[in-house]
Amino acid sequence: MDSRTNPEVAHSIVAAGIRTNYHDLGHGHPVLLIHGSGPGVSAWANWRLIMPDLARQARVVAPDMVGFGYTDRPPGQRYAMETWVEQAVGLLDALGIDKTDLVGNSFGGGLALALAIRHPQRVRRLVLMGSVGVHFPITPGLDAVWGYTPSLQTMRKLLDIFAFDPKLATDELAQLRYDASIRPGFQESFAAMFPAPRQRWVDAMASTEADIRSLPHQTLVVHGREDQVIPLANSLTLATWIPRAQLHVYGQCGHWTQIEHAARFAQLVGNFLAEAGSAEPQPLHS
């Protein structure tokens, strides 16, 4: 299967030993988009409304992280933050990208945060959207997302959790996402990532307060006010701890900021990334 029959399948490259499916479009300073962890998710499903707009000013790279989408699932693969960070850095290396802007959604926000902490020289500017990465009591919404077992009815209920506007949670979208969740290998790897009790996976994705406070990057923190999956308090904490952070909260918006407010989100992120100068990031001073 390729992009002629499935828009979720694009380019293929080996990143940290993992054959990785990724999208690569536009020209300019690179920006790496890291998707969330919903059932049946892929980079294209997460970012399809955003990539064309950002690609007008930047080189947009959006991979399927291992365990998700159309990236290979090696037998016995261990799913952990270290694995995903290594894959992301391996992708940058394979593409010859020394420094990138970094946009992470939800699970991808926790991954973006961890990458920026471990490899600060590889990141120019950072965008965290509905992000994990700090400790919080798991929400019923996130527990339902990570505990998904395939059925069309269950997927329909998840869409109601993800989106503030019920008109977005259509039967057609529920069918598409359900079909994606039952493709060969998708549910097997998804179930292996987040078995109950799931609070431990929230905690495993958290970075330390000291590490977050030491981030030198200009950072944009974005959240939907009515998010039922990741609490708004997460973004308030991140915006407080990261010295060069700014916070934008969308009202009447759930967990799908990049879908529910696609044009606004693309403009906000595009403007933020366009501000960057070649001297960033600078050392912090006490």
Side-chain angles (χ1 to χ4, degrees):
M1 184 179 292
D2 59 27
S3 58
R4 290 171 296 182
T5 56
N6 183 354
E8 295 178 90
V9 179
H11 306 285
S12 180
I13 200 168
V14 175
I18 298 168
R19 175 64 63 178
T20 298
N21 177 59
Y22 71 102
H23 302 261
D24 191 342
L25 61 158
H27 302 281
H29 196 279
V31 53
L32 182 67
L33 307 181
I34 305 179
H35 58 73
S37 61
V41 75
S42 68
W44 184 86
N46 232 180
W47 302 115
R48 65 191 183 279
L49 302 180
I50 301 303
M51 291 192 291
D53 284 343
L54 291 182
R56 295 191 182 103
Q57 69 181 57
R59 179 186 179 185
V60 177
V61 178
D64 290 346
M65 303 311 297
V66 66
F68 300 97
Y70 291 87
T71 285
D72 281 358
R73 294 167 166 78
Q77 177 66 54
R78 178 174 177 264
Y79 298 111
M81 189 60 73
E82 291 73 18
T83 303
W84 289 309
V85 170
E86 288 175 5
Q87 182 194 6
V89 173
L91 178 63
L92 296 178
D93 291 344
L95 296 177
I97 297 173
D98 293 328
K99 180 175 285 191
T100 185
D101 292 324
L102 193 53
V103 181
N105 168 32
S106 193
F107 150 85
L111 172 51
L113 197 61
L115 194 160
I117 289 168
R118 291 163 171 77
H119 304 277
Q121 76 284 359
R122 304 300 297 268
V123 179
R124 187 178 69 161
R125 284 197 164 199
L126 183 62
V127 180
L128 305 172
M129 187 187 82
S131 181
V132 300
V134 297
H135 292 282
F136 66 96
I138 190 169
T139 62
L142 182 57
D143 199 45
V145 170
W146 282 352
Y148 169 81
T149 55
S151 78
L152 185 58
Q153 182 181 16
T154 301
M155 181 60 75
R156 187 69 177 78
K157 290 178 180 177
L158 288 187
L159 296 188
D160 289 334
I161 292 172
F162 276 120
F164 170 78
D165 185 350
K167 292 193 295 293
L168 288 174
T170 63
D171 291 339
E172 179 183 14
L173 180 58
Q175 186 69 55
L176 287 171
R177 290 302 297 263
Y178 167 70
D179 290 343
S181 76
I182 60 172
R183 288 171 184 149
F186 275 47
Q187 180 60 21
E188 291 81 357
S189 58
F190 185 76
M193 273 184 259
F194 309 115
R198 298 184 181 90
Q199 179 66 47
R200 54 183 165 159
W201 310 122
V202 171
D203 298 338
M205 292 183 185
S207 297
T208 68
E209 179 178 349
D211 283 341
I212 295 171
R213 287 185 180 276
S214 72
L215 284 170
H217 311 89
Q218 293 281 357
T219 302
L220 173 64
V221 183
V222 181
H223 217 106
R225 187 182 63 199
E226 284 79 26
D227 193 334
Q228 298 182 63
V229 180
I230 306 298
L232 175 59
N234 274 29
S235 285
L236 299 175
T237 297
L238 289 167
T240 300
W241 287 356
I242 299 172
R244 293 188 171 98
Q246 54 186 284
L247 173 66
H248 191 101
V249 178
Y250 286 97
Q252 296 190 318
C253 182
H255 192 56
W256 276 352
T257 310
Q258 83 284 14
I259 295 172
E260 298 180 75
H261 293 267
R264 288 175 172 176
F265 178 80
Q267 183 176 36
L268 177 70
V269 172
N271 289 344
F272 173 72
L273 299 182
E275 293 173 358
S278 60
E280 295 186 39
Q282 300 173 0
L284 292 176
H285 300 285
S286 56

